[in-house]
Amino acid sequence: MQRLGAVHSSAAQALSLVVLVLQLLTQLPGADSALRYRVAEEGPPDVKIGNVAADLGLTAGTGSGDVTFALESGSEFFKIDNVTGELTTGPRRIDREKLPQCQMIFDENECFLDFEVSVIGPLQSWVDLFEGRVVITDINDNTPSFPSPVLQLSVEENRPIGTLYLLPTATDRDFGRNGIDRYELIQDGPRSTVFELQVADIPDGEKQPQLIVKGTLDREQKDSYELVLRVRDGGNPPRSSQALLRVSITDVNDNSPQFERSTYEAEMAENAPPGTPVLQGTLRRVTFSVVSQPQDGGCYDSGLEDSETPSSKSSSGPRLGALPLPEEGYERTTPEGSVGEEEHVENGYQIQ
């Protein structure tokens, strides 16, 4: 009788175990049902992400008849309590910007880490595998910055009001609300009436800073401007940086060369060879021509730089003064014409 009772007892335990397994199996969702969670980047270890047991509808406990859990993949960044099914972050810090699969991803829901968890039945009577995904949300942990602390821009002085110049854009490794939000011109003194900042929204969602000419530019009056360009993101609190914007006004040929005096006089020897300097001055690519009649004399520039006023040479060379003609073989002339029996036309001289 004792033996028969023992058999009945063993059969009852086995039946109870089978019923429990069937109950657990009916509670489990399909194997193709993925677990979904979210966690912010840069968090410390042991941050709670979610409870796998609760999300699978299982009752976890400490008895030998309960299910257990184990990570099959994803243990590089996550860990799971094999009894309670609590999923938490691991000791390795998650940096969203350094994850290869999240490079150049600007949709927050598209940056994620996958994992797989095994659910093991009582006494290892069965094993089921479930897939999970943890979306890594961005935090404002990067400051936007320009490609250089000093930005150079050249503007011609004859540019009309309203001319636009594209400025270098800043970069921010964060995106979305934590990405670049605005550009600003910072001015310590009076507000500039020459330049103004405009920011355009371009099709890819980024912002393009532009400098607008708002006033008349004259290089001879002011040849450069220094402005401060600042970029700010939309985080809370926001991060910002700035760069010096150095605007150089380039010259155009908008001024005619002028003599300091209307008349210059010089003297030279009668036997001076061709090419002998007659007048000397400090010149910058300006050509002078001298003809017999003063009213016909003139100068023209080369379109590169303006002239400087000619000056007399030292006493060791040609100097300013009267220009006497030889006494014989020539007739004196006046602007009105020749005086004497012969008409004499003087040759022009080119200043070397």
Side-chain angles (χ1 to χ4, degrees):
M1 292 293 296
Q2 293 179 353
R3 183 176 181 182
L4 182 58
V7 171
H8 283 294
S9 177
S10 299
Q13 291 178 356
L15 181 60
S16 298
L17 181 59
V18 170
V19 171
L20 177 61
V21 169
L22 291 175
Q23 289 177 345
L24 291 173
L25 289 175
T26 56
Q27 292 176 1
L28 288 175
D32 57 347
S33 298
L35 302 163
R36 294 288 187 267
Y37 303 104
R38 301 174 73 88
V39 69
E41 64 168 332
E42 304 288 355
D46 301 321
V47 173
K48 291 183 179 180
I49 299 175
N51 190 283
V52 172
D55 293 332
L56 291 178
L58 301 175
T59 301
T62 57
S64 59
D66 296 321
V67 296
T68 56
F69 306 88
L71 278 181
E72 301 297 336
S73 66
S75 57
E76 182 180 5
F77 296 101
F78 310 119
K79 59 183 180 180
I80 193 170
D81 188 298
N82 66 336
V83 175
T84 64
E86 191 75 43
L87 185 68
T88 60
T89 56
R92 181 175 177 180
R93 184 172 56 91
I94 302 175
D95 186 347
R96 182 188 183 281
E97 287 74 33
K98 292 184 179 180
L99 295 176
Q101 65 270 37
C102 296
Q103 299 297 318
M104 303 303 294
I105 295 296
F106 301 103
D107 184 345
E108 185 173 283
N109 295 319
E110 293 301 320
C111 177
F112 51 81
L113 292 171
D114 289 331
F115 68 92
E116 292 180 320
V117 59
S118 292
V119 180
I120 306 169
L123 304 177
Q124 298 184 352
S125 55
W126 52 268
V127 177
D128 210 342
L129 185 67
F130 293 89
E131 295 178 348
R133 174 168 294 179
V134 180
V135 174
I136 309 302
T137 60
D138 185 45
I139 66 172
N140 193 27
D141 58 336
N142 293 283
T143 300
S145 61
F146 290 100
S148 172
V150 179
L151 306 176
Q152 303 280 356
L153 178 66
S154 295
V155 177
E156 291 182 334
E157 63 175 331
N158 64 343
R159 290 293 90 191
I161 294 176
T163 301
L164 291 176
Y165 289 88
L166 299 183
L167 299 178
T169 58
T171 56
D172 193 338
R173 296 178 64 191
D174 297 323
F175 75 102
R177 64 180 179 273
N178 294 323
I180 294 175
D181 180 61
R182 71 185 69 174
Y183 291 91
E184 302 169 306
L185 270 185
I186 307 301
Q187 304 180 55
D188 295 333
R191 183 177 179 85
S192 173
T193 58
V194 179
F195 297 107
E196 186 176 286
L197 185 68
Q198 174 178 292
V199 181
D201 293 323
I202 53 182
D204 61 1
E206 296 186 359
K207 298 180 181 297
Q208 173 63 61
Q210 301 171 336
L211 194 68
I212 308 177
V213 177
K214 299 294 290 185
T216 303
L217 299 174
D218 188 345
R219 183 180 183 275
E220 287 69 36
Q221 297 294 327
K222 189 175 179 65
D223 61 2
S224 66
Y225 296 83
E226 288 192 351
L227 308 170
V228 176
L229 184 62
R230 182 168 67 185
V231 60
R232 186 191 301 268
D233 66 22
N236 186 21
R239 290 173 174 258
S240 65
S241 66
Q242 60 190 39
L244 177 65
L245 177 59
R246 185 169 294 155
V247 183
S248 300
I249 309 303
T250 58
D251 190 32
V252 296
N253 192 30
D254 59 343
N255 292 287
S256 300
Q258 296 180 350
F259 288 106
E260 188 177 61
R261 292 179 289 174
S262 60
T263 302
Y264 290 89
E265 293 183 345
E267 65 179 27
M268 61 181 295
E270 63 177 318
N271 60 347
T276 300
V278 177
L279 293 174
Q280 180 170 323
T282 304
L283 310 176
R284 294 183 179 177
R285 297 183 181 273
V286 178
T287 302
F288 290 80
S289 61
V290 181
V291 295
S292 59
Q293 296 184 1
Q295 64 267 29
D296 294 334
C299 66
Y300 61 91
D301 63 25
S302 62
L304 298 177
E305 297 185 61
D306 295 340
S307 69
E308 295 184 356
T309 304
S311 61
S312 61
K313 193 175 181 181
S314 64
S315 58
S316 60
R319 62 183 184 278
L320 293 177
L323 231 179
L325 292 175
E327 295 296 332
E328 299 179 359
Y330 289 87
E331 295 292 338
R332 295 184 179 274
T333 61
T334 67
E336 288 74 20
S338 176
V339 178
E341 296 181 357
E342 295 183 6
E343 181 179 359
H344 171 69
V345 179
E346 297 179 15
N347 294 327
Y349 292 91
Q350 180 78 26
I351 294 182
Q352 302 296 316

